[in-house]
C-alpha cells in the first residue's frame, strides 16, 4: 500500500500518475455541476470510483 506523501515529497511515478489522473477526473466531474455532490471511493489508497449526483431545480408552473 502506498502511504500518502507529506507536503513537499514526491510520490512514486505510478502513484503520482494515478493521483494526477484522479484529480483530472474529479475536475471533470465538477465542471458544470451547479447543485449536487461528488463522492470518491478509495480502495488501498487509490481512487477507484467517482459518483456524481446532480440536483435539478424545477420552476413551478
Amino acid at each position: 500500500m502506498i502511504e500518502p506523501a507529506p507536503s513537499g515529497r514526491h510520490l512514486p511515478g505510478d502513484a503520482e500518475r494515478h493521483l494526477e489522473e484522479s484529480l483530472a477526473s474529479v475536475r471533470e466531474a465538477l465542471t458544470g455541476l451547479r447543485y449536487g455532490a461528488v463522492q470518491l471511493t478509495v480502495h488501498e489508497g487509490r481512487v477507484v470510483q467517482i459518483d456524481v449526483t446532480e440536483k435539478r431545480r424545477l420552476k413551478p408552473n
Side-chain angles (χ1 to χ4, degrees), residues 18 26 38-43 46-52:
H18 179 77
V26 171
V38 175
Q39 179 179 331
L40 304 178
T41 301
V42 178
H43 181 71
R46 298 177 74 118
V47 176
V48 295
Q49 182 173 321
I50 300 173
D51 294 308
V52 179

Side-chain angles (χ1 to χ4, degrees), residues 24-61:
S25 295
V26 171
R27 192 174 294 117
E28 182 181 328
L30 290 171
T31 301
L33 184 65
R34 292 188 58 194
Y35 301 99
V38 175
Q39 179 179 331
L40 304 178
T41 301
V42 178
H43 181 71
E44 294 185 359
R46 298 177 74 118
V47 176
V48 295
Q49 182 173 321
I50 300 173
D51 294 308
V52 179
T53 304
E54 184 176 357
K55 294 186 178 193
R56 295 185 184 183
R57 309 281 182 186
L58 303 178
K59 295 181 181 179
N61 290 334

Side-chain angles (χ1 to χ4, degrees), residues 1-13:
M1 184 169 118
I2 297 172
E3 297 295 325
S7 293
R9 284 185 50 195
H10 278 328
L11 296 171

